[in-house]
Amino acid sequence: MNKKKTIFILFITILLSFLLGGLVYILFLKKNKENPKESSFDSRSEIYWQRLQNRPEVLKGSGYPSDLRDFLETIRGKESFLWKGDREETYRYLLQEFPDERGHVLYAVYVAFMNWKDKSLEIESSPSLSQYEKLTAVNRLKEEIFPKFLNELIFPKHPTSPPVILLSFLEDYIQRNPYSYARERKRIFLRKKAALYQEEKWDIQSWESPSFYRQVVELIYEREMKEMSEEEKTFYRSSKIEELKSDFWN
């Protein structure tokens, strides 16, 4: 009886130690998980970055670069190749080229932009993520780091983006559901397309390339086209492309 009791107590002790260890580990990870917003500034840019959260529209004012994304990429190139990664040189250059508040504001935006860039590269180099997951994570990171106005200023929407996301979404879905039927794939595709295009569908659809539809049809009807001759595939592909276009508007 005492032996059973001892074994039971030992079992409970081991179980509790595992649970406690797991809890400590989870709390440690939570505590040490880096907030992308908090790493978007340094000691010189913190004040200006915090101010930009409430008034990002200042960047549309007189004396600021008209194409902010191009400007930031240019500064990134200078920092990498001319100044060998020396952020101090970047800071001095911006204050020299943009006196008064502008230099400080642009430096704050640049630090945040480079934070996004570095974290995006980490995401894109992850072998465990699909292309769709990478695109989604990078876009989510933009929203986490930049205020809405600034996000749209640096990364203006372009009608070619939704088709790229849509295609990667379909590839990801089929990879996860390789035995799904064409009817289900088509339904999922059209539903996602409607969600992505929304009220801009007329403009976005005009940017869809022939290769986009070719890839979509070959993904959705992969099983059906497998045994077809090239001539049959050509006819089948054309009819399915027209069908997909028609179904989207209906």
Side-chain angles (χ1 to χ4, degrees):
M1 187 71 180
N2 287 337
K3 187 177 179 181
K4 286 183 178 180
K5 189 175 180 180
T6 303
I7 292 172
F8 177 74
I9 292 171
L10 184 61
F11 173 75
I12 293 297
T13 304
I14 293 170
L15 182 62
L16 286 172
S17 66
F18 272 115
L19 289 172
L20 184 61
L23 181 62
V24 170
Y25 180 67
I26 290 168
L27 290 173
F28 175 81
L29 284 180
K30 188 175 181 181
K31 183 180 178 181
N32 287 275
K33 187 179 180 183
E34 189 180 32
N35 184 337
K37 277 192 174 181
E38 291 177 359
S39 56
S40 293
F41 52 81
D42 60 22
S43 58
R44 287 176 296 214
S45 69
E46 182 175 4
I47 293 173
Y48 288 93
W49 181 245
Q50 297 301 339
R51 288 178 184 172
L52 273 172
Q53 304 304 304
N54 298 319
R55 56 185 195 103
E57 65 279 357
V58 70
L59 287 156
K60 291 289 284 183
S62 176
Y64 284 97
S66 56
D67 188 334
L68 191 55
R69 175 69 182 272
D70 182 66
F71 173 79
L72 294 170
E73 292 287 5
T74 301
I75 297 299
R76 184 171 78 97
K78 288 179 183 291
E79 183 176 273
S80 298
F81 300 107
L82 290 181
W83 307 319
K84 309 300 180 187
D86 189 347
R87 187 61 55 85
E88 184 70 35
E89 286 292 333
T90 305
Y91 181 66
R92 278 199 291 265
Y93 172 81
L94 288 172
L95 293 190
Q96 180 182 335
E97 292 295 312
F98 298 89
D100 58 60
E101 185 187 55
R102 288 174 300 153
H104 293 284
V105 170
L106 288 170
Y107 177 75
V109 175
Y110 178 74
V111 171
F113 177 74
M114 288 304 295
N115 177 48
W116 170 79
K117 201 81 174 176
D118 292 341
K119 285 180 168 50
S120 294
L121 288 173
E122 289 176 17
I123 292 169
E124 288 165 358
S125 62
S126 172
S128 62
L129 297 176
S130 68
Q131 187 59 30
Y132 175 68
E133 288 171 325
K134 289 175 183 178
L135 282 171
T136 304
V138 168
N139 285 331
R140 189 186 305 120
L141 191 61
K142 290 178 192 174
E143 295 171 0
E144 290 176 356
I145 291 175
F146 301 102
K148 188 174 185 295
F149 182 90
L150 186 52
N151 186 6
E152 292 174 356
L153 193 60
I154 300 174
F155 310 102
K157 289 182 179 180
H158 195 277
T160 55
S161 296
V164 172
I165 296 172
L166 183 59
L167 187 60
S168 65
F169 167 80
L170 183 60
E171 289 172 342
D172 183 68
Y173 174 80
I174 292 171
Q175 188 177 8
R176 294 173 185 276
N177 302 274
Y179 302 109
S180 56
Y181 290 104
R183 183 173 59 183
E184 178 66 9
R185 294 179 181 186
K186 178 183 172 182
R187 185 183 68 80
I188 293 292
F189 168 80
L190 290 173
R191 187 175 68 186
K192 185 66 175 180
K193 185 175 182 179
L196 282 172
Y197 288 26
Q198 296 182 9
E199 64 274 5
E200 299 172 72
K201 56 188 177 183
W202 287 103
D203 186 31
I204 295 171
Q205 182 144 311
S206 68
W207 286 84
E208 292 173 339
S209 66
S211 64
F212 164 76
Y213 271 108
R214 180 188 176 96
Q215 288 175 277
V216 168
V217 166
E218 289 178 356
L219 284 167
I220 292 177
Y221 300 100
E222 175 190 15
R223 195 179 292 113
E224 288 80 356
M225 296 175 69
K226 200 169 186 180
E227 304 301 326
M228 292 182 185
S229 66
E230 285 305 313
E231 186 178 349
E232 288 172 327
K233 284 180 182 178
T234 301
F235 176 78
Y236 187 81
R237 191 184 296 116
S238 297
S239 65
K240 289 300 179 184
I241 286 174
E242 293 307 314
E243 183 182 294
L244 278 173
K245 290 180 179 179
S246 174
D247 287 348
F248 178 63
W249 295 106
N250 297 327

